[in-house]
Amino acid sequence: DTGVSQNPRHKITKRGQNVTFRCDPISEHNRLYWYRQTLGQGPEFLTYFQNEAQLEKSRLLSDRFSAERPKGSFSTLEIQRTEQGDSAMYLCASSRRAGGTDTQYFGPGTRLTVL
Amino acid sequence: EDQVTQSPEALRLQEGESSSLNCSYTVSGLRGLFWYRQDPGKGPEFLFTLYSAGEEKEKERLKATLTKKESFLHITAPKPEDSATYLCAVQDSGNTPLVFGKGTRLSVIA
């Protein structure tokens, strides 16, 4: 059973650079989510896709952030012109809505450090 | 606005000392309440989903319960390997994304 995978696991970048993260969901999961987590806080929702359609974006998601899910498979999250405040763990989760259930399974995360 | 509050923020237990973690929530309509375990530097690991008041679920030394306003995660005779941060999250019936609490950091000392 292959779980959610994320790459890279760690990324160190300089302020102002662009970064891109990849998420591969559990196969056959039609929903994919991105969350951000800072130290001592719970994950905060950024955006989610159902198949290839981006259905919701949080107010937290500034215009420097963009996410895609081409063909409804893997997803990428790009941050342009990174700022020190972007340093966080970026988590991806996937789910397969079945009836009333929608349990989200998380990947290991990508730790971003902006110097 | 959906809100989740977890208490205590941190809990230190001796091995074998049972206790409970609390998750209080406010939602307009509950689709589900979720418990996750998170080890340092890793993603959250799914534990339980609860859907309606009165529901209970168990897994090894963990038991989750749900009322209309809160959920408890009971830990019976904990072991050091149970040390982790336990996260509670809710899913509103009108929304898909999870709203998380800040978590309870549990330390179990041998």
Side-chain angles (χ1 to χ4, degrees), chain B residues 82-100:
Chain B
D82 295 322
S83 298
T85 295
Y86 290 85
L87 295 165
C88 172
V90 296
Q91 188 175 48
D92 192 301
S93 58
N95 294 295
T96 294
L98 298 178
V99 176
F100 281 86

Side-chain angles (χ1 to χ4, degrees), chain B residues 41-102:
Chain B
K42 297 188 177 181
E45 175 189 350
F46 171 71
L47 293 173
F48 304 109
T49 308
L50 301 168
Y51 296 102
S52 56
E55 189 175 1
E56 299 182 352
K57 288 192 176 174
E58 289 188 64
K59 179 181 179 180
E60 296 180 353
R61 295 178 292 282
L62 301 177
K63 178 180 176 180
T65 62
L66 181 65
T67 72
K68 287 186 177 180
K69 293 186 177 182
E70 58 191 350
S71 176
F72 292 93
L73 185 66
H74 307 278
I75 302 177
T76 302
K79 298 182 178 181
E81 53 262 41
D82 295 322
S83 298
T85 295
Y86 290 85
L87 295 165
C88 172
V90 296
Q91 188 175 48
D92 192 301
S93 58
N95 294 295
T96 294
L98 298 178
V99 176
F100 281 86
K102 292 183 179 181

Side-chain angles (χ1 to χ4, degrees), chain A residues 33 35 37 101-104 107, chain B residues 36 38 43 49 51 91 96 98:
Chain A
Y33 310 80
Y35 291 83
Q37 186 177 26
T101 64
D102 191 18
T103 297
Q104 297 177 26
Chain B
Y36 290 86
Q38 187 172 31
T49 308
Y51 296 102
Q91 188 175 48
T96 294
L98 298 178

Side-chain angles (χ1 to χ4, degrees), chain A:
Chain A
D1 180 23
T2 303
V4 178
S5 62
Q6 293 187 246
N7 288 289
R9 294 294 310 279
H10 304 274
K11 179 70 177 179
I12 300 174
T13 191
K14 294 182 178 180
R15 188 176 55 186
Q17 297 295 305
N18 299 344
V19 295
T20 300
F21 310 140
R22 177 178 170 128
C23 171
D24 288 89
I26 295 171
S27 59
E28 299 179 358
H29 277 194
N30 59 344
R31 290 183 169 180
L32 186 148
Y33 310 80
W34 287 99
Y35 291 83
R36 180 171 66 186
Q37 186 177 26
T38 54
L39 197 62
Q41 304 294 314
E44 293 179 298
F45 168 72
L46 293 178
T47 188
Y48 97 92
F49 294 83
Q50 180 158 304
N51 300 313
E52 65 274 10
Q54 188 172 19
L55 295 188
E56 189 172 342
K57 293 192 288 186
S58 164
R59 293 188 303 272
L60 294 175
L61 207 67
S62 78
D63 55 7
R64 296 185 298 105
F65 287 68
S66 63
E68 295 182 343
R69 192 185 183 196
K71 303 179 182 178
S73 56
F74 70 92
S75 175
T76 58
L77 178 68
E78 181 183 16
I79 309 174
Q80 296 182 328
R81 304 180 304 281
T82 53
E83 303 172 356
Q84 288 185 326
D86 297 331
S87 295
M89 174 78 89
Y90 289 83
L91 294 163
C92 176
S94 69
S95 71
R96 184 173 72 88
R97 179 77 186 275
T101 64
D102 191 18
T103 297
Q104 297 177 26
Y105 296 89
F106 284 81
T110 294
R111 168 75 65 189
L112 173 66
T113 302
V114 182
L115 302 176

